[in-house]
Amino acid sequence: MGVADPRYVVASSSGVWEHADVSMRYEVVELDAHFDGDGISYAHDRRDGSFNVWGNTFPAETLPPGRSTVAVGGVPFRFPSKDDGALNNLSCAGQTIDVTPGVYDWIYVLGASERRSEDLVALHFLSGAVEYEWLRLSDFWPQTAPRFGELEAFRCPHMHYPRHTQEGFAPVIWRQRVAVGRSEPLARIVLPDNVAMHLFAMTMVRPPA
């Protein structure tokens, strides 16, 4: 479903939320049905969720409102729920994501990796053609610089461990994009089988009118 409502735009460096108009050029993809992990927790329950094997999580208090639409670098995304116990990201394991059939230029994601990772996404078109493109995500780990040219979407001021909050550790969710090379209707996306790569949100971008 296209997004036309004025929602939120994030100035990630300052954490300030502002209203902005969102163009119908964008198609926000609902990923909730594919979520299999909880990588966000509140300080009152740091054991709620586990982004990685050590039980680290992103602090909910420093991220956008749950189930809101936020714009990062001009691209709108539907930010997932931050409720206790709610699933809010998927680990890439070959999932098939159906999209509204259409011609798109880019697939944008909000995501992070447990270690920097790159793997192939399969793009399936209505014609039956299949193209493969690289999805590259840098590490979420504190003080990480983008290794693949991503835009920093949200850098948190601290990180949650199951038993404490680590101040000065600044985990990151990145904005990355995947090119769609064919100018014909795209039908579905098959994600790579690489569980180190996590996605929180996805948005398709149509060519300029």
Side-chain angles (χ1 to χ4, degrees), residues 24-114:
M24 289 299 292
R25 184 183 173 197
Y26 302 100
E27 185 77 25
V28 174
V29 180
E30 299 291 350
L31 292 181
D32 297 52
H34 301 280
F35 286 158
D36 56 14
D38 181 1
I40 300 172
S41 66
Y42 285 93
H44 68 259
D45 186 8
R46 291 183 296 268
R47 297 187 185 185
D48 171 46
S50 180
F51 184 76
N52 61 5
V53 295
W54 295 283
N56 297 121
T57 48
F58 292 88
E61 297 87 349
T62 69
L63 292 170
R67 299 188 179 91
S68 67
T69 299
V70 295
V72 181
V75 178
F77 296 92
R78 185 67 45 79
F79 200 79
S81 172
K82 303 190 298 182
D83 294 345
D84 289 341
L87 300 179
N88 47 51
N89 73 94
L90 65 85
S91 295
C92 291
Q95 298 96 327
T96 297
I97 311 295
D98 292 322
V99 300
T100 301
V103 177
Y104 300 100
D105 278 347
W106 297 98
I107 303 162
Y108 279 83
V109 299
L110 297 181
S113 185
E114 295 178 47

Side-chain angles (χ1 to χ4, degrees), residues 183-201:
S183 296
E184 59 180 87
L186 180 67
R188 65 189 61 87
I189 302 162
V190 179
L191 298 176
D193 188 5
N194 186 336
V195 295
M197 306 175 83
H198 296 253
L199 302 184
F200 291 87

Side-chain angles (χ1 to χ4, degrees), residues 101-102 122-132 182-188 190:
L123 307 181
H124 292 252
F125 296 86
L126 285 180
S127 66
V130 180
E131 297 281 351
Y132 294 88
R182 284 179 176 257
S183 296
E184 59 180 87
L186 180 67
R188 65 189 61 87
V190 179

